[in-house]
Amino acid sequence: MSKVKKLLGNWLYLRISLTLIICFLNIVSYSQIANYITNGGFEFLYSCNQPDDVGKAIGWRSIDSIQFGSSALISVCYSTVPYTGGGFQYPFKGNNFSGADALCSPTMCSTNSSRGYLRNRLKYKLDAGKTYCVKFYINVTNNSSYGVDGIGMYFGDNSIDTITKTNLPLTYLTPQIQNLNGNIITDTLNWTLISGTFVATGNEKYGVVGNFKSDALTTKTIINVSSASLGVFCEFYIDDVSCIPIDLPAYAGPDVFCIPGNSVYIGRPSDVGIDEACTWYKLPNMATPIATVAGLWVSPVANSTYVVRQDICGTIKYDTVAVTMSGLDISEASLINDHLNIYPTPAKDELNLSFDIDAGDVFNSIAIYNNLGQLLREEELKFINHKATLKTNDLPNGVYIVKLKGKNNIEVGKRFVIAR
């Protein structure tokens, strides 16, 4: 039994271990709130049974749950990808995507059957006054006779549940995210990004994608002459839908310990939108990314620091995570880290460090890193009566990481702030 366990006693050790587990669960819960769109890639299905309506995709359906309108799920489970009813198309990502009618004029369609709208039940209601970054990808089907400019996304409350005319143009709804007027989408091969930001009212429960313009106000152009002889119509595919708070903190995860030969997960859980927004680096190399994903498994062979760069509609943020190789039991190393106290917060010219267990003699040096994980200085440090003081008068205002290094390759550390 280790020195720490002996000092704490089995009962106290168990109690603190449970506290650490609760803290870990809280961290995981916090890190999961990124994309508010449920199943933004249409990958998770209730079933693969026909008919191929969008309601088979978890979180998605038409506005009216009884009348699905002109909307469909295109999935490998129907053996329709990449050979779809509208032509040939691979998903933007994964195996599935969805589609709907953006425009269909008489005589191709009757006046009461000209549109399709895709509704998503958000994971959570949006927060009032908060700005959100919305992105989704559009592709026009090969069979479409026209390309159009009218695709947008509307975020609304429970009043959406009262809409039953799902096949009519919903011109009374004003989408917060709208493709630019006159920017006609004509690409039938590649996926076209539509993106924008808006400030939520706090009542938004659903997101709806479609053409909210009238036939007369929808700008269009012929893209398929042979189809144009059949009538004026445009079908679109949609994939990779996301709605992410623009001020979302970058999240690399808490500093962790790793037993040599094992792997640890860092960052957020994978999800549509946030995956594309996160680029990972391993210090000191900030020139060559190692991954573009919200989180990843790493298996370092030495103490390593990883940096995530997050880009949400042009808002750039960074976070770092240190992975320390240690032969100690991971829970024991975490326990020592939990009993390291640093104060004051924020600090000015001095930073005090203390342990409330007898662990100070384990460490003999200290290092300071900036928020990108770059080493600023390293020096010897001695604890007296479990306390030590570090001079910080040379550090400008900002966020830093302090790491204690000691026996058995153990490292513990915490972030601190300098503000004068």
Side-chain angles (χ1 to χ4, degrees):
M1 185 176 291
S2 72
K3 179 179 180 181
V4 174
K5 290 182 181 179
K6 289 179 180 178
L7 289 168
L8 291 173
N10 289 334
W11 178 84
L12 184 56
Y13 185 81
L14 176 61
R15 182 178 178 182
I16 294 175
S17 296
L18 291 173
T19 301
L20 289 172
I21 292 172
I22 293 172
C23 291
F24 172 76
L25 292 176
N26 287 336
I27 291 171
V28 171
S29 176
Y30 164 78
S31 70
Q32 288 175 338
I33 305 175
N35 183 9
Y36 279 65
I37 299 294
T38 301
N39 191 20
F42 302 92
E43 295 301 297
F44 305 104
L45 309 179
Y46 289 113
S47 75
C48 267
N49 300 326
Q50 294 283 1
D52 58 348
D53 59 67
V54 72
K56 293 295 194 304
I58 294 173
W60 291 93
R61 63 181 186 181
S62 183
I63 295 178
D64 182 359
S65 61
I66 298 176
Q67 181 184 2
F68 282 99
S70 301
S71 57
L73 173 72
I74 296 92
S75 172
V76 294
C77 71
Y78 301 125
S79 299
T80 57
V81 176
Y83 301 97
T84 72
F88 183 92
Q89 185 60 45
Y90 283 101
F92 179 77
K93 282 186 177 180
N95 296 316
N96 308 331
F97 52 100
S98 187
D101 287 344
L103 180 69
C104 194
S105 302
T107 58
M108 182 70 181
C109 294
S110 63
T111 55
N112 62 354
S113 180
S114 61
R115 298 294 170 88
Y117 294 94
L118 305 170
R119 176 178 72 165
N120 183 268
R121 185 185 180 99
L122 305 180
K123 296 174 184 175
Y124 313 91
K125 279 188 177 181
L126 304 185
D127 293 330
K130 181 168 286 191
T131 301
Y132 290 83
C133 168
V134 178
K135 293 185 177 183
F136 55 94
Y137 290 83
I138 294 295
N139 175 270
V140 178
T141 67
N142 297 87
N143 292 345
S144 295
S145 60
Y146 280 76
V148 301
D149 69 344
I151 308 299
M153 188 164 189
Y154 172 78
F155 291 86
D157 56 20
N158 286 334
S159 63
I160 289 177
D161 292 325
T162 66
I163 300 174
T164 58
K165 303 296 184 180
T166 59
N167 288 352
L168 296 180
L170 300 178
T171 55
Y172 58 89
L173 297 180
T174 303
Q176 294 90 336
I177 307 301
Q178 177 68 59
N179 181 39
L180 294 176
N181 291 332
N183 182 36
I184 302 174
I185 301 173
T186 61
D187 201 330
T188 61
L189 175 63
N190 303 296
W191 290 87
T192 300
L193 172 65
I194 296 178
S195 65
T197 62
F198 77 102
V199 179
T201 64
N203 296 317
E204 295 86 355
K205 182 180 179 181
Y206 298 106
V208 180
V209 179
N211 178 14
F212 297 87
K213 293 183 176 182
S214 66
D215 286 6
L217 293 179
T218 300
T219 306
K220 59 186 182 295
T221 189
I222 293 178
I223 59 174
N224 189 327
V225 176
S226 59
S227 295
S229 63
L230 302 175
V232 177
F233 69 100
C234 178
E235 302 166 329
F236 70 93
Y237 296 136
I238 181 172
D239 202 359
D240 219 50
V241 188
S242 62
C243 175
I244 301 174
I246 202 166
D247 64 349
L248 181 76
Y251 185 75
D255 292 344
V256 293
F257 298 89
C258 181
I259 296 175
N262 286 3
S263 300
V264 292
Y265 189 85
I266 57 177
R268 300 181 187 274
S270 177
D271 198 359
V272 169
I274 192 64
D275 280 336
E276 297 90 333
C278 295
T279 305
W280 288 86
Y281 303 86
K282 183 178 179 181
L283 292 180
N285 186 356
M286 287 291 292
T288 307
I290 61 171
T292 300
V293 69
L296 68 158
W297 289 93
V298 295
S299 304
V301 296
N303 295 342
S304 302
T305 299
Y306 297 87
V307 180
V308 61
R309 179 186 185 272
Q310 177 183 279
D311 182 351
I312 307 295
C313 277
T315 299
I316 311 296
K317 295 188 177 182
Y318 293 86
D319 194 25
T320 60
V321 57
V323 179
T324 302
M325 309 307 294
S326 175
L328 293 177
D329 179 77
I330 292 178
S331 62
E332 182 178 341
S334 299
L335 183 63
I336 295 175
N337 193 80
D338 190 56
H339 284 270
L340 171 62
N341 305 303
I342 58 175
Y343 57 94
T345 302
K348 294 183 179 180
D349 296 330
E350 288 185 346
L351 184 70
N352 298 309
L353 304 94
S354 69
F355 283 101
D356 48 28
I357 59 174
D358 187 13
D361 60 349
V362 174
F363 303 98
N364 50 32
S365 68
I366 191 168
I368 299 177
Y369 300 81
N370 63 19
N371 201 36
L372 291 180
Q374 297 167 324
L375 178 64
L376 301 181
R377 76 171 192 256
E378 187 170 7
E379 59 192 59
E380 292 184 358
L381 187 71
K382 185 175 182 180
F383 282 82
I384 300 176
N385 295 326
H386 317 312
K387 296 181 180 180
T389 300
L390 179 68
K391 293 292 184 180
T392 57
N393 56 319
D394 61 327
L395 299 177
N397 291 348
V399 180
Y400 299 89
I401 303 168
V402 61
K403 288 186 181 180
L404 298 175
K405 302 182 179 183
K407 304 171 183 176
N408 299 321
N409 293 321
I410 187 172
E411 289 187 3
V412 298
K414 291 189 175 182
R415 290 175 174 83
F416 69 94
V417 176
I418 297 294
R420 298 183 180 88

